[in-house]
Amino acid sequence: MVTWLRELPAGWFAVLALAENAALVGVTALLGHWVLRLPGAHRVTAPPGPVSRLELGLVAVATVLNAGVTVAGWWLWREGVITLTLPLDWWALLDFAALIVVMDVLLYVGHATAHVRWLFPLAHRLHHVFTDARPITLFALHPVEVLGFGGAWLAVLAVHPFSAWALGAYTLVNLLFGILGHLGVEPLPQRVRAAAIFRWVATPAMHAGHHAAPRYNLGFYTTVWDRLFGTLDPDYDARRTGTMPFADTTGIGIPTASPAG
């Protein structure tokens, strides 16, 4: 497989990359639809209305740009700038943990920067047009943000020979957090999300809450940086542990706030 990918003509790899990224959008929509049908989910934002042309257009552009990032990563790998290791061992597990930590920091910093008052209207405000998120809202981003995340991802891969297994595992975790964070519901039972580990690992309601109150919950995988820098929703832990109810099915109950406040 490695030899086949290395020797594949660039044009054919571009077709493969586009098909892969389109499939990821499809999986996101289907998996998100399935999770939304699970019993006991608590709605955090109001149910989204019909899909708009703007949202579909942004998703389509993001799919093409993500395919371009994939092609760029493939080219950097062929040129030896990015090195991937193949053994499935303890180093692969450490690489996976490192990717989670490093990308969690970079995503928080990038997200917080995007919410700076004078920068917010330039790009990130476009994502917040979709206050009541649906799974594919994950991909409804300004092209600059798509390329910014892709560039940061490739830069991280270029500084260390990461395990291919760790790369695949991180990609799945990133997609899962993105899907769950844009459902607009909290599917985890109260007894689960009240566990000590979820004080630090973000639950699906965390990013959904960010869409409702954009000044809060800027992290993605963990709450560490929001707690450290004071950007965690003050009521997040109360809702997470069940001492304060989530919003009802109309989405009422989570306060709105200035997106760049």
Side-chain angles (χ1 to χ4, degrees), residues 115 120 128 209-216 254-261:
H115 275 271
F120 182 76
H128 279 279
H210 171 71
H211 275 264
R215 72 168 63 190
Y216 299 124
I254 294 181
T256 58
S258 168

Side-chain angles (χ1 to χ4, degrees), residues 2-64:
V2 171
T3 302
W4 178 76
L5 285 174
R6 190 181 296 276
E7 296 178 353
L8 195 65
W12 281 110
F13 186 84
V15 172
L16 180 65
L18 185 59
E20 175 197 12
N21 282 278
L24 287 177
V25 174
V27 168
T28 296
L30 291 174
L31 182 58
H33 178 72
W34 175 75
V35 175
L36 284 172
R37 296 170 64 89
L38 292 176
H42 300 274
R43 180 149 287 282
V44 180
T45 62
V51 182
S52 68
R53 290 184 178 180
L54 174 62
E55 189 167 12
L56 289 176
L58 289 173
V59 171
V61 171
T63 301
V64 173

Side-chain angles (χ1 to χ4, degrees), residues 126-198:
L126 191 58
H127 184 63
H128 279 279
V129 166
F130 312 104
T131 304
D132 307 317
R134 73 185 87 241
I136 63 167
T137 307
L138 167 63
F139 301 99
L141 297 168
H142 193 285
V144 170
E145 293 187 286
V146 177
L147 294 176
F149 175 81
W153 172 237
L154 295 181
V156 168
L157 293 181
V159 301
H160 173 76
F162 284 99
S163 163
W165 296 97
L167 186 152
Y170 169 79
T171 300
L172 290 176
V173 167
N174 181 63
L175 183 65
L176 183 62
F177 269 81
I179 293 171
L180 294 177
H182 290 87
L183 288 174
V185 303
E186 175 56 84
L188 296 177
Q190 179 183 329
R191 66 180 183 279
V192 174
R193 63 178 188 268
I197 190 173
F198 286 109

